[in-house]
Amino acid sequence: MNTKRMDDFIKTVTNGLKDDTELRLDVTQEIKSHIEDTVEQLKSEGKTDEEALEVTLKSFGLSEVIGEDLLKANKKRMKLRSLIKLFLRFAVVPEIGR
């Protein structure tokens, strides 16, 4: 299978999540797993690796549109996670010089 093509697709789809590395990794893994499962299903139906990947990626739709939808769906979550990280940075780090 053309993993570069799949990786490029996933990178484009998750680009809007780049400010939250953990979330981006989670979403990347989920999308990759879904693509691999679908490709394997299509291969079991007689398609070649490339045909299966082509059909799978087309079934997702335009990567830019999916990326926008992912960002919209996770924007509040990203803001909340960012605020929690900021709070924890100041709350957990002991004061120096006490």
Side-chain angles (χ1 to χ4, degrees), residues 15-39:
N15 189 51
L17 308 176
K18 67 181 176 266
D19 292 336
D20 190 327
T21 305
E22 292 174 38
L23 178 60
R24 188 177 191 181
L25 288 172
D26 288 345
V27 172
T28 294
Q29 190 57 42
E30 188 174 331
I31 292 170
K32 184 175 183 177
S33 177
H34 182 69
I35 290 171
E36 290 171 345
D37 290 346
T38 305
V39 166

Side-chain angles (χ1 to χ4, degrees), residues 3 22-23 29 37 40 42 48 54 66-67 70 73 86 93 96:
T3 57
E22 292 174 38
L23 178 60
Q29 190 57 42
D37 290 346
E40 287 305 313
L42 291 170
T48 66
E54 180 73 23
I66 297 165
L70 275 172
L86 183 63
V93 176
I96 300 176

Side-chain angles (χ1 to χ4, degrees), residues 39-88:
V39 166
E40 287 305 313
Q41 176 64 36
L42 291 170
K43 284 173 47 181
S44 75
E45 296 172 6
K47 299 219 182 291
T48 66
D49 282 353
E50 291 306 312
E51 289 172 331
L53 181 60
E54 180 73 23
V55 169
T56 300
L57 294 182
K58 281 186 179 182
S59 73
F60 268 88
L62 295 174
S63 56
E64 293 81 7
V65 173
I66 297 165
E68 289 171 13
D69 290 345
L70 275 172
L71 179 58
K72 286 177 190 174
N74 287 288
K75 202 160 194 108
K76 286 183 182 178
R77 182 178 177 190
M78 290 172 62
K79 285 181 182 178
L80 179 61
R81 288 168 55 107
S82 178
L83 287 172
I84 290 169
K85 287 178 185 178
L86 183 63
F87 172 76
L88 289 176

